[in-house]
Structure formats: structure tokens, C-alpha cells
Amino acid sequence: MLLLLHLSCPAVQIVFALIAFAAAASLYNSYDFYKVSFVQFMVFTGVMGFLISLFYSIVSCVEGLKRTFSGLIEVILNVLWVIFWLAAAASFAAYQPCKVKDATFVAITKCDVFIASQAFAWLSWFLWIGSLWISIMEMRSGEGLTGGE
């Protein structure tokens, strides 16, 4: 069960990160958000989260790489990205002009794109927490660098 979760989690993380940073990038390119640092941070977090998840999808398929990049290295990387996704999602949630109550659901506005990016950032944060839990359990069971008791 843990192996199945560990293999599917990066695939879902790739999709969610892609959606979150694509929506933020469309805000960055289409509206006056290009000067706002939290949109740039969301794009950075999404792109890097996408690349790291892609890397770990490849690593999980190669046994020698899996032993090298699991354990303490994976736990530290997951902790870092849990913090980054939390910061990115919270910065979008704190932006007052675009709240869920302002969503139109008739035509796509900048606030609808903003809310979509925020939603997938929160979902990515939850996925990275799950990935962190899995990597801690694997490290405690003796897999990877400094794994075991």
C-alpha cells in the first residue's frame, strides 16, 4: 500500500503543480500581476515542484537512484516544499480583491484564475504533506540514506 502511494503521489503532484503554476503564469502574463511578488513566487514554487516531482517519478523507477535519493534527502526536500507550498497558497489566500465570494462562474475572470491557482496550491500542499509522511515512514523502516534505527 505504501509503495502504491509512493509511486502515485509524484504523478498527481506533477499535475497539480502544473495547473497551479500555469494559472499563476497566465495571471503574470495577462494582467497587472507581473509586479506582484507572490504571483512570481507561485510560478517559482509550481515550476520547481513540478520538476522535483518529475525527478522523483523517474527516481522511483530506478532502484539504484531510489536508494541514493530516499531517506534523509527526501525528507528534507519534502519539508522544504511543504513550507514553500504553504507560503504560496497562503499568500494567494491573503489577497483581498480575489476571494471565493467574487467568483463569477459565468465568464472566466482574473479572480477565477487566481482562485483556481490557489486551490491547486492548497491541494499540492496536502500532497506534499502526504509525501513527507511516506518518506518519513520509509526512512524509519531503513530505506535510503541514514534510514533505520
Side-chain angles (χ1 to χ4, degrees), residues 16-29 42-43 46-47 113 117:
F16 285 4
L18 195 66
I19 294 170
F21 91 77
S26 74
L27 286 172
Y28 183 79
N29 291 330
M42 178 67 83
V43 171
V47 169
V113 175
S117 182

Side-chain angles (χ1 to χ4, degrees), residues 57-67:
S57 321
I58 294 167
V59 163
S60 64
C61 296
V62 179
E63 188 60 35
L65 288 175
K66 183 164 174 45
R67 271 187 256 116

Side-chain angles (χ1 to χ4, degrees), residues 112-128:
D112 295 332
V113 175
F114 197 86
I115 291 167
S117 182
Q118 176 188 345
F120 280 96
W122 284 116
L123 291 171
S124 293
W125 178 66
F126 283 118
L127 281 174
W128 281 91

Side-chain angles (χ1 to χ4, degrees), residues 1-10 56 59-60 63 66-67 69-72 74-75 78 130-149:
M1 175 78 175
L2 196 61
L3 178 63
L4 181 63
L5 283 173
H6 192 62
L7 292 176
S8 64
C9 197
Y56 269 101
V59 163
S60 64
E63 188 60 35
K66 183 164 174 45
R67 271 187 256 116
F69 288 105
S70 62
L72 186 61
E74 189 175 10
V75 169
N78 282 325
S131 185
L132 174 63
W133 179 78
I134 291 169
S135 63
I136 289 171
M137 291 297 118
E138 284 183 348
M139 187 176 77
R140 290 184 69 199
S141 71
E143 295 183 24
L145 250 64
T146 68
E149 296 157 9

Side-chain angles (χ1 to χ4, degrees), residues 35-116:
K35 298 175 186 169
V36 183
S37 61
F38 62 84
V39 174
Q40 295 170 352
F41 184 67
M42 178 67 83
V43 171
F44 166 77
T45 303
V47 169
M48 291 305 295
F50 167 77
L51 293 174
I52 291 169
S53 298
L54 185 64
F55 174 74
Y56 269 101
S57 321
I58 294 167
V59 163
S60 64
C61 296
V62 179
E63 188 60 35
L65 288 175
K66 183 164 174 45
R67 271 187 256 116
T68 304
F69 288 105
S70 62
L72 186 61
I73 295 170
E74 189 175 10
V75 169
I76 291 171
L77 196 61
N78 282 325
V79 165
L80 184 66
W81 287 102
V82 164
I83 294 168
F84 275 29
W85 277 114
L86 176 64
S91 67
F92 266 43
Y95 186 66
Q96 288 299 321
C98 290
K99 294 293 182 183
V100 176
K101 65 177 177 51
D102 298 328
T104 60
F105 304 114
V106 176
I108 296 175
T109 65
K110 68 177 181 173
C111 283
D112 295 332
V113 175
F114 197 86
I115 291 167

